[in-house]
Amino acid sequence: MQREANRIYLGVFDGLADHLHQRLESITLDAFPPILGSLRKHGGYFKRLKVPPPLSEIVDNQGHRTGDRDANDLTLEERLELAFFQADVECLDILRDDGPDAYHEGSTGSVAIIEPHDNRPFWDSERYDIVVGHVGDTRILLCDATSGEVITLTTGDHHPGNPAEQDRLRKYAGFVTTDSWGDDRIMGMLATSRAFGDSKLKKYGVSAEPDLVRYTIQAQNPAAFMVMVTDGLTSVMSDQEIVDIVKKERDPTAAAHKLVDIADQYGSEDNLTAMVVRLKDFGCRMHDITRDLREYRLANASMSARQSW
């Protein structure tokens, strides 16, 4: 990645792997064969894994370069995919060193790289790309500055109940069960089908292969802000509620605190992380689409809290 490029890296993680950004600058194609070799030692899914695109276009199924491609000349999507694989291996190493109990823990995460095309800082740019890499059930949301509607940049939660994930898991010997709460779980244990770490379930298809998305912002489709959240928020409120709450605040930090506070009032029992990223049209007037719903929910949440005393 060229250091002179006017880019910014942003990430939200639910667990380990928050060191991933350190790999984006330094990763090269030559690192991929040992990374792939380490993952294939887990057998099962990884033994039969075919290198996914975009890397499959420049390496063979052992991870070695094909053609005369420079090992350092990588697109953002290629860097993200390589970095996610490397972060998975490093996460497994960290957990193994922490002992047998920790070795079965894991992490999810979503990364956004904002790349302006007009030589302006990202918060003042009118034309830029947002390149997203996503594993698990964290989310990255964008607010359309014209309509006020949410644009979900992540491709969907990687849960075993997701039809595409079910097909992928069953193809490689993993099976999905439903617990007494109605949640789908891999091998009856894990509720996310892609993650960093989780060594015990690696052979059943728990992979850190990221879904990759490139979204372009320009004058015709301006954005007000971006929100990055963990599933502690999305489990209790819709994506549209999240962006509507942010619209009411004048400061991104205050907006992030407000999101966490409301999720807590809604009764979230998971850890809560929110980051609000100011973009060109932050603070513009937009319709609050879910205001009545939120007022109703907050009133009932307060009533439930009083009744529980």
Side-chain angles (χ1 to χ4, degrees):
M1 185 182 296
Q2 296 179 347
R3 293 184 181 276
E4 65 269 24
N6 188 20
R7 298 168 176 151
I8 182 171
Y9 165 99
L10 301 154
V12 59
F13 298 92
D14 194 348
L16 293 171
D18 55 352
H19 59 286
L20 186 148
H21 68 282
Q22 300 169 5
R23 307 293 169 255
L24 286 169
E25 289 282 357
S26 59
I27 195 78
T28 74
L29 274 179
D30 291 337
F32 195 38
I35 290 172
L36 202 55
S38 178
L39 290 171
R40 286 197 166 134
K41 291 178 182 177
H42 291 273
Y45 175 82
F46 282 97
K47 186 176 181 179
R48 299 185 290 275
L49 174 70
K50 292 184 178 180
V51 175
L55 289 178
S56 60
E57 300 169 8
I58 55 175
V59 301
D60 61 24
N61 210 43
Q62 302 305 313
H64 298 288
R65 280 183 285 160
T66 56
D68 56 358
R69 182 71 174 271
D70 189 322
N72 297 292
D73 183 19
L74 301 171
T75 66
L76 285 179
E77 286 86 350
E78 291 163 354
R79 283 189 180 277
L80 275 171
E81 191 162 76
L82 275 171
F84 269 66
F85 276 120
Q86 184 173 29
D88 192 19
V89 170
E90 292 178 357
C91 186
L92 289 165
D93 290 342
I94 291 170
L95 293 171
R96 182 175 58 246
D97 292 342
D98 286 344
D101 293 334
Y103 197 35
H104 303 316
E105 297 176 1
S107 171
T108 61
S110 299
V111 170
I113 300 174
I114 302 178
E115 184 177 37
H117 294 292
D118 52 12
N119 294 318
R120 297 182 181 180
F122 76 91
W123 62 85
D124 193 43
S125 177
E126 292 185 344
R127 187 175 185 277
Y128 53 92
D129 286 344
I130 304 175
V131 182
V132 171
H134 166 60
V135 161
D137 52 11
T138 48
R139 289 187 201 170
I140 301 179
L141 311 175
L142 197 66
C143 181
D144 186 298
T146 302
S147 67
E149 295 180 354
V150 65
I151 300 167
T152 304
L153 295 182
T154 40
T155 54
D157 295 340
H158 291 138
H159 286 167
N162 181 318
E165 289 295 280
Q166 281 189 351
D167 290 344
R168 182 179 67 85
L169 294 168
R170 287 171 176 161
K171 182 178 180 181
Y172 292 99
F175 67 83
V176 177
T177 60
T178 304
D179 64 19
S180 58
W181 298 98
D183 294 327
D184 295 315
R185 295 183 178 274
I186 299 176
M187 310 300 289
M189 291 183 280
L190 187 64
T192 52
S193 53
R194 298 197 204 185
F196 303 98
D198 283 303
S199 172
K200 189 174 182 179
L201 297 175
K202 271 285 181 272
K203 65 181 179 181
Y204 299 113
V206 177
S207 169
E209 301 162 66
D211 281 345
L212 301 169
V213 174
R214 180 180 287 262
Y215 191 85
T216 300
I217 296 293
Q218 47 195 344
Q220 295 90 330
N221 63 325
F225 54 84
M226 185 170 69
V227 189
M228 311 178 80
V229 293
T230 57
D231 65 324
L233 282 94
T234 57
S235 63
V236 295
M237 64 178 79
S238 69
D239 293 351
Q240 187 64 54
E241 284 179 271
I242 290 172
V243 299
D244 283 346
I245 291 166
V246 174
K247 291 174 191 174
K248 309 298 289 183
E249 302 296 325
R250 295 185 177 182
D251 175 72
T253 301
H257 284 296
K258 189 70 171 181
L259 284 171
V260 170
D261 180 57
I262 292 179
D264 188 51
Q265 292 181 62
Y266 280 175
S268 177
E269 297 181 351
D270 205 343
N271 58 306
L272 301 167
T273 300
M275 180 192 305
V276 177
V277 182
R278 180 189 186 116
L279 298 174
K280 173 72 174 177
D281 289 285
F282 184 83
C284 67
R285 292 178 62 87
M286 290 176 284
H287 177 52
D288 187 345
I289 298 169
T290 63
R291 182 185 62 183
D292 292 344
L293 171 63
R294 296 199 315 279
E295 289 177 352
Y296 174 81
R297 293 189 65 189
L298 286 170
N300 281 273
S302 298
M303 184 179 299
S304 297
R306 289 195 298 271
Q307 290 173 344
S308 66
W309 290 354

